[in-house]
Amino acid sequence: MANARGGLLVYGVSDQIDLVGVNLAAADKKQMLSAVRNGIQPYISGVDFIDLPAPGGKGPDVLVVDVPPSEMAPHFQYGWEQKDKDRVTFNAPYRINDDAFYMTEHQVARAYRERFARQNAAEAHLKAYLAETTEVVLNESEGSPAWLVIAARLARPVPRMAPTPTRLEAKDVLLKAVKTAARVKDAFAGPAVLSDVLNLIHRLDVCGQFLGERRSAL
């Protein structure tokens, strides 16, 4: 799946598409990740485990493993093949719908070209961003200490089974980020840029609380 478009492994559903369930408490996720780490090269990162317990504890539970499409493809699996005598196998499988296939030589070569192209593009973008940031900092700091704020973007889509965060959960994450930023700010002496940002976030939060209270009163 990592060699193709990613996919979901659903434990608790039979081949006949019957919901039979699994024991979530007995599912050894560390052992599953160990099998991925020891049996596949290069390592597939970003594999997510999602527990789906039956509502109200009534009914079978399901475990979903979300395998992302990998930017490090092609991945090769190690194993044993019984043929006359055991021998080690080394191949790059990929999945299309319900069928598994194995990459041919030209498919492996193309996968490597695509991987190197992605890495080169990422390196070029990084150099461009660093050059732009350096120019801005040198032009505006005028010899004073400067803050460098780096915003990361997702390298892969949000897992398909991930629940949408509630407003309360999103606010909690924001408040934790603000506390972390405040702690970092106190460790450095520099321009009040970060302080202004924190004050703005605080004012927005207070404003949101005020509007919420007014809405409740109405």
Side-chain angles (χ1 to χ4, degrees), residues 82-121:
Q82 185 70 38
K83 197 171 184 180
D84 296 332
K85 57 182 180 179
D86 289 339
R87 63 180 182 181
V88 178
T89 62
F90 182 68
N91 47 56
Y94 64 98
R95 196 168 186 85
I96 299 179
N97 297 325
D98 295 332
D99 299 315
F101 303 91
Y102 295 92
M103 287 187 179
T104 59
E105 182 181 13
H106 77 273
Q107 288 176 312
V108 171
R110 184 181 64 184
Y112 273 121
R113 286 196 300 270
E114 291 174 350
R115 183 209 286 184
F116 297 147
R118 287 191 297 267
Q119 293 174 341
N120 291 336

Side-chain angles (χ1 to χ4, degrees), residues 101 146 168 170 184-185 190 212:
F101 303 91
L168 203 59
V184 172
K185 175 186 74 67

Side-chain angles (χ1 to χ4, degrees), residues 126-206:
L126 178 60
K127 288 182 178 179
Y129 293 147
L130 285 176
E132 181 181 357
T133 303
T134 301
E135 182 180 357
V136 171
V137 170
L138 292 179
N139 289 339
E140 298 187 4
S141 63
E142 297 180 356
S144 302
W147 283 97
L148 173 59
V149 179
I150 299 177
R153 64 179 179 85
L154 293 176
R156 58 162 293 196
V158 175
R160 290 170 281 269
M161 299 296 294
T164 302
T166 64
R167 182 182 182 88
L168 203 59
E169 291 171 336
K171 181 178 178 181
D172 181 62
V173 172
L174 175 61
L175 292 178
K176 288 180 179 178
V178 170
K179 289 179 181 178
T180 301
R183 188 171 66 252
V184 172
K185 175 186 74 67
D186 293 337
F188 296 91
V193 176
L194 186 57
S195 298
D196 295 340
V197 173
L198 294 176
N199 291 333
L200 174 60
I201 292 176
H202 176 70
R203 289 198 300 272
L204 291 174
D205 187 55
V206 171

